[in-house]
Amino acid sequence: MSKKERGKELGIIGEDIACHYLVRQGYKIVEKNMKNFVGEIDIVAQKDDLFIFVEVKTRDSVEYGLPLEAITSRKQKKIRDCAVSYLKYKGLYNKVFVRFDCVSIIGADDNFKIEHLENIF
């Protein structure tokens, strides 16, 4: 398996772990891997009257840095723009409260650490 294929597989596993984690924390998963013409958002979740756009970053080790370090200002703008487009399409723009979170996962197999950071940008 190539490094790129392994990274994609690890990302899918991380998103599944993040979804299970969020559900256990009382969140409702509205969409997973939501794509539109602007970009992609890993998870759209809802809790009470809040829509949460979640970026999931998964690493099998910290050898190449912490997962959160991959969320650059450019990536943040792309996520925000994608979220605005999503909310407008759904007729929710200026009608719901919004938050941007990150779920960071470090590890592999059944040995991993989850960190959920709320309102990161």
Side-chain angles (χ1 to χ4, degrees):
M1 181 181 300
S2 74
K3 184 178 178 181
K4 185 175 183 175
E5 290 170 328
R6 173 67 183 139
K8 188 170 182 88
E9 181 181 294
L10 190 61
I12 292 168
I13 291 167
E15 288 171 4
D16 287 343
I17 292 168
C19 281
H20 291 293
Y21 169 83
L22 291 169
V23 167
R24 286 192 314 271
Q25 301 302 313
Y27 293 80
K28 174 186 171 197
I29 305 302
V30 177
E31 296 203 39
K32 186 176 170 189
N33 297 314
M34 187 286 301
K35 295 177 185 169
N36 61 25
F37 69 94
V38 178
E40 178 180 351
I41 294 179
D42 295 329
I43 299 170
V44 180
Q46 189 175 4
K47 191 169 187 181
D48 304 320
D49 62 347
L50 192 62
F51 270 76
I52 302 103
F53 296 91
V54 183
E55 178 70 7
V56 180
K57 290 297 179 191
T58 310
R59 301 284 185 269
D60 53 8
S61 74
V62 293
E63 181 179 350
Y64 297 105
L66 296 171
L68 292 177
E69 294 173 337
I71 305 176
T72 63
S73 58
R74 183 176 177 188
K75 177 71 172 173
Q76 291 173 22
K77 181 182 180 339
K78 186 111 172 158
I79 292 168
R80 276 193 301 270
D81 291 348
C82 191
V84 166
S85 175
Y86 172 85
L87 293 169
K88 286 181 178 179
Y89 178 77
K90 295 289 187 177
L92 299 170
Y93 188 72
N94 284 336
K95 295 180 181 176
V96 296
F97 294 102
V98 174
R99 189 175 79 203
F100 296 92
D101 290 5
C102 178
V103 174
S104 166
I105 301 167
I106 301 171
D109 303 320
D110 291 334
N111 186 21
F112 51 84
K113 178 184 173 198
I114 299 173
E115 185 175 12
H116 179 195
L117 299 169
E118 298 179 353
N119 205 28
I120 63 164
F121 57 89

